[in-house]
Amino acid sequence: MRLLITVAFIFIAFAKAYSQDITGVWKAVDEESGIVKSHVEIFEKDGKYYGKVLKVLDPEAPEKPLCISCDGDLKDAPIEGLVIINDLEAKGKVYKNGTVLDPENGKSYDCKIWLNEDNPDLLMVRGYILFLYRTQTWVRLK
């Protein structure tokens, strides 16, 4: 009986840890309009976390959207395939010390992300400069 309880406890612990993973594909939802703008894949590489645009879904976007407002090497880069979240580090339940690029204006912001405590299928994505910030709620794509 103890073995059964121990196995059940381990299974529940692993299931809970897996369900709180930020990696995967997320629907990026505009916080003002509620429109799904894109699908973004969050992935881990060498202990840091990144986000890459897989598909642009914005109905107002051109067929092959480019990062027209970006600078340097990203100028006119295709938005699909563009890494917009860079170098996030896990700090407990929050991932921070990275940046997020807004392809609509070409600007990069400090970034932190975390899972909604009440619903691990919601990802809170915050871009900020000093005390000014904007937070979007992204939805896990299943």
Side-chain angles (χ1 to χ4, degrees):
M1 186 63 161
R2 284 187 199 179
L3 179 61
L4 181 61
I5 292 171
T6 303
V7 170
F9 179 77
I10 291 171
F11 177 78
I12 291 169
F14 278 112
K16 183 165 178 63
Y18 179 77
S19 70
Q20 294 185 351
D21 187 13
I22 65 164
T23 59
V25 179
W26 298 86
K27 294 187 277 186
V29 181
D30 183 88
E31 73 281 4
E32 293 174 4
S33 68
I35 294 173
V36 176
K37 296 271 192 161
S38 61
H39 289 167
V40 178
E41 178 185 21
I42 304 286
F43 61 95
E44 184 267 335
K45 181 179 176 188
D46 300 327
K48 295 198 176 186
Y49 293 81
Y50 302 85
K52 176 173 65 171
V53 177
L54 296 179
K55 184 158 185 66
V56 174
L57 301 169
D58 186 347
E60 296 179 14
E63 186 176 331
K64 302 268 186 198
L66 304 176
C67 196
I68 296 167
S69 299
C70 292
D71 294 326
D73 292 343
L74 298 180
K75 177 76 174 153
D76 296 328
I79 292 176
E80 290 183 356
L82 188 65
V83 176
I84 60 168
I85 295 176
N86 287 285
D87 299 321
L88 288 174
E89 300 170 349
K91 302 287 184 183
K93 294 180 179 181
V94 177
Y95 299 77
K96 56 186 181 178
N97 299 331
T99 59
V100 61
L101 171 71
D102 183 345
E104 289 183 3
N105 65 21
K107 294 181 182 177
S108 236
Y109 302 94
D110 292 328
C111 178
K112 71 178 180 177
I113 64 176
W114 65 97
L115 291 172
N116 181 300
E117 287 190 22
D118 297 328
N119 184 349
D121 289 331
L122 299 178
L123 182 69
M124 311 309 292
V125 180
R126 177 170 290 171
Y128 60 96
I129 297 175
L130 298 173
F131 57 87
L132 301 173
Y133 63 88
R134 177 176 147 192
T135 305
Q136 290 185 337
T137 302
W138 292 2
V139 180
R140 189 183 302 272
L141 189 65
K142 296 187 179 206

